[in-house]
Each structure stands twice: as structure tokens, then as C-alpha cells.
Amino acid sequence: DAGVIQSPRHEVTEMGQEVTLRCKPISGHNSLFWYRQTMMRGLELLIYFNNNVPIDDSGMPEDRFSAKMPNASFSTLKIQPSEPRDSAVYFCASSYEQGFEQYFGPGTRLTVT
Amino acid sequence: GDSVTQMEGPVTLSEEAFLTINCTYTATGYPSLFWYVQYPGEGLQLLLKATKADDKGSNKGFEATYRKETTSFHLEKGSVQVSDSAVYFCADGGSNYKLTFGKGTLLTVNP
């Protein structure tokens, strides 16, 4: 299995630009999670999907952040407009069922200047 | 809500030393428990897990035992290697859909 695939691996953008991060979960997994990791705040859960439906987006920092999962094999996390404080590593993870172990992608390192 | 508390790092050891990283959880019931490892520049990888009380998870020389009576899941390794240098995260699956992670413990092993 290819594991969770994320793209791009690195993204550098200027403040105010739109950023789209992409994730392909492991085939057969029905739960997908977006996390953000920073030195200051550690690992934060942003949003969780189950069977392509957003279940809990309480971790999304503000309206500038949005996430979609149009089908079982693809999800996006969009930031519009981006700000320097959004700089972080963003991870996507998937799991077979709710509460089961999650498998993480390699992450996207976002730098907003 | 659920919380996971793990010992704060950083932890610095010499090669072949014994490692213990403490972890306690607050989830009620019988959550599954996990240890993840994050190597520099990579995502989190599942290291080991235990799904019920008294279970022992093990992998790559690491072990952790699910202790219901002390709500703990301490990570141990008898002889660490330089290649074990990483950040270690404890997590519980107490909530109905998500994992609750500890803050992570940075381990550095010197030759």
C-alpha cells in the first residue's frame, strides 16, 4: 500500500495568497483527519471526516480555513487568505474505522512570508 | 474531555541506556492506547498499540503495558540506539472517533 499521500511536500507563499493542500487517504479507510503541527502549539486536530462527511470542524482556527472531501480518495484543506501565523506542518491521516489507529502522511510544510 | 499526559522532554541518553517515557490518560472505559514516533522531517508512525487492560504492545524493542489501575501506558526500551532519536507521542482512543495525543517527548540518544 502506498500509504497516505500528501501534496505538495513544501509550500512557500506570500501573505494573502490562497493555499490548497491535498491528501489521498489509504484505500479502504473511511475516516480522514487534518492536523497542524507547530513548535508552540504541538499537534492540533483541525477537522475530521467520516465517510466523506465532515463530523467535527471545531479545531479549524477561523473562517479562512476550509476543508472538503468530495470522494473517498481525496481531500483538500484550503487557506484563503493565508497569513504568516499559518506557517506550520500540516498532516493528513486516515483510519479504517473511528477510534482505530491513524496512519499519517509525510506532511506539507507551509511557509507564509 | 480526554487528556493524555506524558513526561516532558527533552530526554537525552547514551547509547544502550534504558528508556522510560511515562504516559497517563484520563479517558474512561477501555480506550485503545497507542505510541507514535516521529523522526525528523517525517510524519507520525504508529510504534505500538494495546487494545485492552494488561495487554502489552511491542515493536522494535519498545514495549508498553496497558495498566487500567493506574491509567498508564509507559513506553520502555532496554537498550536505546542512536537511530531511536525522535519525538514520541502517546495517544488514547477514548473519544468516539478521534485520538487524543500527548504533547510529545523528544528523545536524543548520543553515541
Side-chain angles (χ1 to χ4, degrees):
Chain A
D1 200 321
V4 176
I5 299 172
Q6 291 187 248
S7 64
R9 293 293 311 275
H10 302 273
E11 177 79 35
V12 180
T13 191
E14 293 184 348
M15 182 173 61
Q17 296 298 305
E18 178 180 295
V19 175
T20 299
L21 311 181
R22 297 171 175 79
C23 174
K24 176 178 169 55
I26 292 173
S27 177
H29 284 190
N30 65 357
S31 297
L32 184 139
F33 306 81
W34 282 101
Y35 291 88
R36 178 172 67 177
Q37 186 178 41
T38 62
M39 289 293 291
M40 291 294 293
R41 302 172 71 93
L43 192 65
E44 303 173 277
L45 176 64
L46 301 178
I47 187 169
Y48 154 68
F49 292 87
N50 183 246
N51 292 323
N52 312 337
V53 176
I55 303 299
D56 183 357
D57 64 355
S58 60
M60 296 285 262
E62 48 200 274
D63 292 345
R64 297 185 297 105
F65 285 69
S66 63
K68 294 181 179 180
M69 192 165 186
N71 57 62
S73 59
F74 184 65
S75 177
T76 59
L77 178 68
K78 184 177 294 186
I79 308 172
Q80 166 64 12
S82 58
E83 297 182 2
R85 60 192 168 118
D86 301 331
S87 297
V89 181
Y90 291 81
F91 289 104
C92 176
S94 69
S95 69
Y96 174 63
E97 284 290 351
Q98 298 180 140
F100 278 47
E101 60 264 32
Q102 296 176 17
Y103 293 84
F104 283 72
T108 295
R109 181 173 296 277
L110 174 64
T111 303
V112 183
T113 60
Chain B
D2 295 351
S3 67
V4 173
T5 303
Q6 58 182 105
M7 65 185 289
E8 292 191 19
V11 175
T12 302
L13 297 173
S14 296
E15 205 164 25
E16 299 184 1
F18 184 84
L19 169 71
T20 298
I21 302 178
N22 291 337
C23 171
T24 57
Y25 64 93
T26 64
T28 57
Y30 294 89
S32 295
L33 301 173
F34 309 88
W35 276 100
Y36 281 80
V37 58
Q38 184 178 28
Y39 299 103
E42 299 183 11
L44 280 71
Q45 302 175 24
L46 179 65
L47 179 60
L48 53 84
K49 68 176 182 180
T51 58
K52 60 183 186 294
D54 299 325
D55 263 3
K56 178 185 284 187
S58 62
N59 186 25
K60 299 181 180 179
F62 291 89
E63 294 182 340
T65 301
Y66 189 151
R67 301 288 188 197
K68 181 67 176 174
E69 64 277 13
T70 55
T71 62
S72 65
F73 193 53
H74 305 323
L75 182 68
E76 297 181 337
K77 186 173 185 181
S79 177
V80 293
Q81 306 300 312
V82 172
S83 57
D84 294 326
S85 298
V87 180
Y88 292 81
F89 292 89
C90 184
D92 82 47
S95 297
N96 61 358
Y97 63 83
K98 66 178 183 179
L99 300 183
T100 300
F101 286 89
K103 294 185 182 300
T105 302
L106 173 63
L107 169 66
T108 301
V109 180
N110 295 318

